[in-house]
Amino acid sequence: MIAAADLLSVWESGVTAGNAQRAALLHAVARPDVPDLLAVPVGERDAELFALRRSLFGRRIPVLLACAECDEELEFDFDTMAVPQGGSTADPITVTEGPWSVVLRVPTCGDVLAAARSSSPRDVLLARCVLEAKCGNDSAAVTDLPADVVGRVVDAAAQADPGADIQLAVRCPECDSTARAELDISVCLWTELDAWARATLLDVAKLAASFGWTEADILAMSPLRRRYYLELAGHA
């Protein structure tokens, strides 16, 4: 069980950070035993973030989608146990398209962080993940790859690391079309952690004002005990 004070420290570190940095902070909570998390493939990281989410907030994530055809709101619970458990491939991937041949690897957390700092994230990912590119027998730069070859490379990387791209497809009961959306577990988990942290700090402020306790004393209590004291102080 992760201590409330430790979770608040993670939240405080990520309040002003971007999504990629927040994902790295959450991943460090999920896998404190791994020394080099930047080398972990994105799909493996996300599987560990789903496990962290289950330990903190349960296995089901409430989802609200809008149907693109009729604007009907679709509300349901997504069972995180339905996420594919297969890992990414560690072997190089070869993509051929016409005279072009490209060898690549799946993106890692370090690649995503580097891309997030750039104004051209896809170019950075390609530069870092493409190991070799040839047109016929001639070596080529990543920047020389045609758009259709780049598309094939992106698709191949996604297929090799299916856990990195969770897509939801839900049938609309009103118009029978299919609503689709991406579920980014790092963004979802951060949103939930942010709501939890702000509610917890509000409880701390109320209890400190009512009883004069320190933040450390209050956070050391179980959630049930804090709730009981809030009721005694008339804050239920």
Side-chain angles (χ1 to χ4, degrees):
M1 178 64 69
I2 303 168
D6 293 337
L7 279 178
L8 283 174
S9 294
V10 172
W11 169 80
E12 185 176 6
S13 297
V15 166
T16 59
N19 289 335
Q21 290 77 18
R22 288 171 175 175
L25 288 169
L26 292 169
H27 195 200
V29 175
R31 290 298 304 274
D33 57 319
V34 178
D36 186 12
L37 290 174
L38 295 183
V40 174
V42 176
E44 182 179 333
R45 178 204 69 186
D46 284 1
E48 290 163 353
L49 292 185
F50 273 112
L52 176 62
R53 199 277 175 188
R54 287 192 290 272
S55 70
L56 294 176
F57 304 116
R59 61 183 282 179
R60 295 187 176 276
I61 300 176
V63 179
L64 182 63
L65 297 180
C67 176
E69 297 297 326
C70 68
D71 291 329
E72 177 73 11
E73 287 192 344
L74 309 176
E75 189 172 2
F76 62 97
D77 286 342
F78 175 74
D79 188 348
T80 59
M81 296 303 294
V83 174
Q85 298 299 308
S88 61
T89 177
D91 299 325
I93 308 155
T94 300
V95 173
T96 56
E97 180 71 17
W100 291 90
S101 175
V102 180
V103 181
L104 66 143
R105 59 170 176 77
V106 297
T108 64
C109 299
D111 298 327
V112 172
L113 275 173
R117 301 187 186 104
S118 168
S119 59
S120 302
R122 175 176 282 198
D123 291 343
V124 171
L125 285 175
L126 286 172
R128 292 174 67 96
C129 297
V130 170
L131 306 177
E132 180 184 76
K134 287 186 175 183
C135 184
N137 294 322
D138 298 325
S139 297
V142 173
T143 52
D144 295 331
L145 295 177
D148 58 335
V149 176
V150 171
R152 286 285 312 278
V153 167
V154 171
D155 289 343
Q159 292 173 11
D161 195 11
D165 185 22
I166 304 300
Q167 298 289 330
L168 303 180
V170 184
R171 187 184 67 81
C172 176
E174 292 297 319
C175 67
D176 206 37
S177 64
T178 301
R180 300 183 183 276
E182 177 185 2
L183 178 60
D184 188 330
I185 181 56
S186 63
V187 173
C188 178
L189 181 53
W190 180 264
T191 301
E192 292 178 303
L193 178 62
D194 182 65
W196 171 87
R198 294 175 189 274
T200 298
L201 289 177
L202 180 59
D203 288 348
V204 169
K206 291 176 180 177
L207 290 175
S210 297
F211 299 106
W213 296 328
T214 66
E215 179 185 80
D217 291 335
I218 297 168
L219 293 178
M221 300 176 186
S222 68
L224 179 61
R225 186 173 294 185
R226 286 201 300 269
R227 179 55 48 195
Y228 180 69
Y229 280 122
L230 284 167
E231 291 176 359
L232 289 179
H235 297 298

